[in-house]
Amino acid sequence: LPHMDPVHRVSIVSRGLAMGFTLIPPKKDRYTETQSHLVETITSLLGGRAAEEMVFDEFTAGAASDIDKATRIARRMVVDFGMSNLGPVYLGPQIETTEYGRTWFQPSEISPEMQAKVDKEIKRIVEESYKQASVILKKNKKKLDLVAKKLLDQETIDEGEFEKLMGKKKKVRT
């Protein structure tokens, strides 16, 4: 994905509740997020689920954390950032601080009809990203198999080894 940072490490070693992980830390400090980067992050998070479907024709609970993160990002895009077909509208709770330092919180007050639209937009973003992840994996099935074999051999792949298996990433103008 053109706007994603490079993969730093991939591991199938179980840690805590994670059965494995892909670590993609930001290459440089990010002061704001773009819509394209957020969508690509969702796509990246859904890659494991898409790979399960493609390789095993079955789902596991292993992608639960990634699905949760992807859905939370999509929700923030729609509700907080105005990055959806609903337009630049903030739909979250109202938080205000008075001149005397008192803070008040008013829960989000949107109609059931608007909530249904919000839910539909979140679902659309996640589903489109999942489809994109599936397309990328199908196109790169041989590379997926190489990474899987390498992980079975040594359990962890660092950035340099990952880049050798995948090839250099094409640069994108920003």
Side-chain angles (χ1 to χ4, degrees), residues 81-93:
F81 307 147
M83 294 178 179
S84 76
N85 293 335
L86 297 178
V89 178
Y90 177 75
L91 300 165

Side-chain angles (χ1 to χ4, degrees), residues 150-161:
K150 188 74 162 177
L151 286 169
L152 288 172
D153 290 342
Q154 65 186 50
E155 297 182 333
T156 301
I157 300 172
D158 67 16
E159 184 174 348
E161 291 173 294

Side-chain angles (χ1 to χ4, degrees), residues 42-103:
I42 294 169
T43 302
S44 174
L45 286 164
L46 297 174
R49 171 50 68 94
E52 285 180 340
E53 182 179 34
M54 186 175 81
V55 174
F56 304 116
D57 199 26
E58 176 75 278
F59 295 126
T60 71
S65 176
D66 292 335
I67 293 168
D68 174 52
K69 288 177 191 170
T71 305
R72 287 175 187 267
I73 293 169
R75 180 173 303 284
R76 297 237 25 231
M77 289 174 67
V78 175
V79 173
D80 298 336
F81 307 147
M83 294 178 179
S84 76
N85 293 335
L86 297 178
V89 178
Y90 177 75
L91 300 165
Q94 301 297 312
I95 302 171
E96 296 289 333
T97 304
T98 67
E99 60 192 59
Y100 303 110
R102 299 194 109 201
T103 301

Side-chain angles (χ1 to χ4, degrees), residues 87-133:
V89 178
Y90 177 75
L91 300 165
Q94 301 297 312
I95 302 171
E96 296 289 333
T97 304
T98 67
E99 60 192 59
Y100 303 110
R102 299 194 109 201
T103 301
W104 60 270
F105 174 86
Q106 181 177 347
S108 181
E109 295 182 10
I110 60 174
S111 68
E113 293 82 14
M114 181 56 87
Q115 184 60 54
K117 290 178 182 179
V118 167
D119 293 342
K120 186 176 180 181
E121 279 298 296
I122 293 167
K123 189 172 186 332
R124 179 190 63 78
I125 291 168
V126 171
E127 284 181 346
E128 285 178 6
S129 294
Y130 181 80
K131 286 176 187 170
Q132 179 67 19

